[in-house]
Structures are given as structure tokens and as C-alpha cells.
Amino acid sequence: MHVLLTGAAGFIGRHVLAQLLERGHEIRALDSLRPDVHRSGAAWAAPRDVEARVGDVRDAAFVAEAVNGVDAVIHLAAKVGLGVDIDDMPDYASSNDVGTAELLAAMARAGVSRLTLASSMVVYGEGFGRCPEHGAVRPGPRLESALVAGDFEPPCPICARPLAVGLVDEETSFDPRNAYATSKAAQELYAANWARATGGSAAMMRYHNVYGPGMPRDTPYAGVASIFTSALRRGEAPRVFEDGRQRRDFVHVRDVAAATVRACERHTEGVRAYNVGSGTPRTVGDMAQALAQALDGPPPVVTGQYRLGDVRHITADSSRLRRELGWTPTVDFADGMAELAALSQELPARPRVAAG
């Protein structure tokens, strides 16, 4: 196939690009190289066999030309991060939602009928918890008064009893709790509108906590694993927010790229969402401890700090992806942490930059 890949210079984009090449696809790669996302973006050089274009997906004329002649689109381009400040909202809405809308409109005009969209597990918010009395319930928004007191677990909204944590499947309703999450939910809704209006196919890939080679370091948008390894390389203990017991599904970037390419190749009808996770929940503290051991560094420090926009627990049921598209994650958590630690040792440690 001739595939248009947006966000090709990004962390996940580079791995998707490599897998598309490995599978013999013809690729047109786009990236805006925004300095707030790509600190070294100007140095990006696509492989020789790739048609690379630099531009913004919000530019209607640029996107119209970019979609011409392709068979399918993998749309990764987005502003990432939490978006915890109200002032962030316009940029998330513009970068992610206006950009997606321009891309979809151009695809409709050009007759391109296959879309694979990078979404996120953050659309679920806290997902569902299970109360011993009331069954599956949606935890209410966490209150700052409770977080200040160190009460990090969201209670049952009916009786305030502690909730057991379960896996969320793709039928879980949206409950985005920050600007980034809201923008990803909106991207999915625009894509579904486009698919139903045009008869196209849209695969929504809800990525969980992605880590691996090429993660950005020391930026507001870096993954927690990158932040931990950067601290350890400076000889500092990784600082873990809350009590370290937040549950996540850490999935290796090569597995995420494989799932994305497989969806592009195999999903050809209708609208379908796919959780992309390892299927094995871990805590943030588990990750910090594994990296500290791999780098022979100081043990993690649990700080009790918090971010109001964070969710406490979110872990995926990825069985639909395995069942329908035949995808299976291949990178074991321990092996992935060891690889991440080894790669970090090949890079010079960066000094801590004071916030200002």
C-alpha cells in the first residue's frame, strides 16, 4: 500500500515508519517538526526510500496535497501531554482536533477510505471500579482536599467505600479529565463522523503507557519512564508521585508500532476501537524500582506529590486487538526495562534544569 504517515518524526512515528518499511509499504511521511515537541526536530532525516514532507496538518492546502494518491492514512500527529492548565486548551483543540478535521476533510475529497488513528487510554479517565456493594461504578473526579491528605484512591461515588480496580474494555464510555484527553476523544468522534459519512474505515488505537527506545527526555511530554531514567543517570533517586501504587499498562513502542501497522493493513470496514496494552498491569512504583535496579541507582523516593489531572488507575483489556487482528505483544516488561536502562547509559546525563 501507499501509506501517508503523519507525526512520522515522533517517538512512536519513527517506530511505525520502520515497521511500514520492513513490511514493504510505500510511505509518504509528514511532520511539522514543532520545537515544543521536537527539540532536535530540524535534524530529522527520513530513510532514503521515504517521501518526507514538513508541514502542519492544520494547513488545508498542505494536507490536500499530502493525501493525493495514497491508499491509507496513519494519523499520529498530535500535541501530547496532560494539558493541565486551562490556558493549554486552545492549543490542544487547534493542534489535535482542527488538524484531524482538516486531514479528514482532505481524505474525503481525495477518496482515501482507510484511517488508523492514534488515540489514547486517557479518553477513559478513571475507567470503572468495582464496589463490593454497588458493583461496577465510575469513580468521581478526585478532590484536591483528599489528595492533599494523601487519600489517593478514588472511592465509590455512592457509598465512599474503596473500589477494586479492573481492566477497561473498548465499550467503556469516555470520561476525559484534562485538555489532552478531551482532544483525543474529539479526534475519535471526528474520525467516526468521517467514516460513517464516506463509508471509510477507521481504527482507533487507544495506546496505553508507551515506553522504549527514542522516548523524549526531560520534556513536559516525556513518559514517566524517561523521567525516571534521566534522574537515575544524574545519580538521583527517581521521584514517584502519590504513593507509587498507581496502576498502568506499560507497553513497548515496538509492540505499539506493530499493532498500528497491523490495523492499517487489516482493518478495512467500519469504525472500531482497539486498546493497545501489554495486558499485564504494573504500578508506577514497579517501573521506578525496575529502572533503579537496572541502572544500579538509588531506590525510588515516594513523594506524595500529585497532579490533579492525573488518573489513579487505568489498565487495558487488549483482547479485542489480539482476537480480531492477531496481534500479540512480544516485549517482556523486565526485558523492556533492561533495554531502556542500557540505552540510557549510552547517552550523556543531563543536569537538572530549574523550573522558572
Side-chain angles (χ1 to χ4, degrees):
M1 284 192 298
H2 190 181
V3 179
L4 172 65
L5 172 63
T6 75
F11 164 43
I12 297 174
R14 290 174 186 247
H15 289 269
V16 171
L17 180 61
Q19 294 214 17
L20 285 169
L21 283 172
E22 184 178 314
R23 294 186 62 80
H25 295 292
E26 183 181 356
I27 306 161
R28 182 176 295 156
L30 307 186
D31 206 288
S32 67
L33 302 182
R34 283 175 53 159
D36 60 335
V37 178
H38 302 284
R39 287 190 172 183
S40 58
W44 177 56
R48 182 179 303 174
D49 295 335
V50 172
E51 178 190 352
R53 300 187 183 185
V54 177
D56 196 309
V57 291
R58 291 172 291 185
D59 182 334
F62 171 75
V63 171
E65 185 179 352
V67 300
N68 186 42
V70 302
D71 302 307
V73 174
I74 298 177
H75 182 37
L76 306 182
K79 176 181 172 69
V80 299
L82 280 174
V84 294
D85 295 326
I86 297 301
D87 285 346
D88 293 332
M89 285 185 174
D91 195 20
Y92 279 99
S94 174
S95 299
N96 297 353
D97 302 334
V98 173
T100 299
E102 290 286 3
L103 177 64
L104 293 170
M107 290 173 65
R109 290 190 297 267
V112 181
S113 62
R114 296 173 68 169
L115 172 71
T116 305
L117 174 70
S119 186
S120 172
M121 53 85 180
V122 296
V123 299
Y124 298 125
E126 292 280 356
F128 279 95
R130 184 161 293 280
C131 173
E133 181 177 352
H134 298 101
V137 295
R138 171 79 75 179
R142 296 201 290 172
L143 301 177
E144 189 149 17
S145 58
L147 299 175
V148 168
D151 185 6
F152 302 117
E153 294 290 346
C156 173
I158 303 170
C159 66
R161 296 174 69 178
L163 298 176
V165 183
L167 300 180
V168 295
D169 64 21
E170 292 87 352
E171 302 309 312
T172 302
S173 58
F174 287 176
D175 186 24
R177 300 197 174 191
N178 55 58
Y180 172 62
T182 299
S183 74
K184 299 308 285 185
Q187 282 186 309
E188 287 203 28
L189 295 173
Y190 278 120
N193 296 158
W194 163 85
R196 293 180 180 116
T198 65
S201 65
M204 321 297 196
M205 311 303 288
R206 294 175 184 166
Y207 300 153
H208 281 247
N209 292 79
V210 186
Y211 73 95
M215 267 193 320
R217 299 199 308 160
D218 302 327
T219 76
Y221 315 119
V224 66
S226 181
I227 295 171
F228 290 161
T229 54
S230 293
L232 288 161
R233 290 288 294 125
R234 295 191 300 267
E236 301 171 5
R239 297 175 61 80
V240 181
F241 277 23
E242 301 185 15
D243 58 4
R245 297 176 185 170
Q246 309 93 303
R247 284 163 56 99
R248 298 290 187 268
D249 188 325
F250 298 106
V251 58
H252 196 278
V253 67
R254 287 195 295 272
D255 287 331
V256 167
T260 303
V261 173
R262 181 157 297 203
C264 178
E265 293 174 339
R266 298 193 181 187
H267 180 77
T268 60
E269 294 183 1
V271 177
R272 198 70 163 155
Y274 294 101
N275 285 332
V276 186
S278 71
T280 305
R282 309 274 180 177
T283 69
V284 174
D286 288 340
M287 171 173 271
Q289 184 63 41
L291 289 169
Q293 291 176 348
L295 287 166
D296 196 23
V301 172
V302 176
T303 68
Q305 293 175 279
Y306 61 88
R307 290 177 295 236
L308 190 58
D310 282 359
V311 298
R312 175 63 174 175
H313 305 296
I314 185 67
T315 50
D317 177 354
S318 299
S319 60
R320 175 185 290 180
L321 181 60
R322 298 172 189 239
R323 182 177 64 253
E324 295 185 3
L325 299 185
W327 171 85
T328 302
T330 61
V331 182
D332 177 75
F333 178 76
D335 293 339
M337 291 296 103
E339 177 194 41
L340 200 61
L343 288 170
S344 75
Q345 290 178 312
E346 297 174 3
L347 300 171
R350 292 186 180 180
R352 177 182 295 276
V353 178

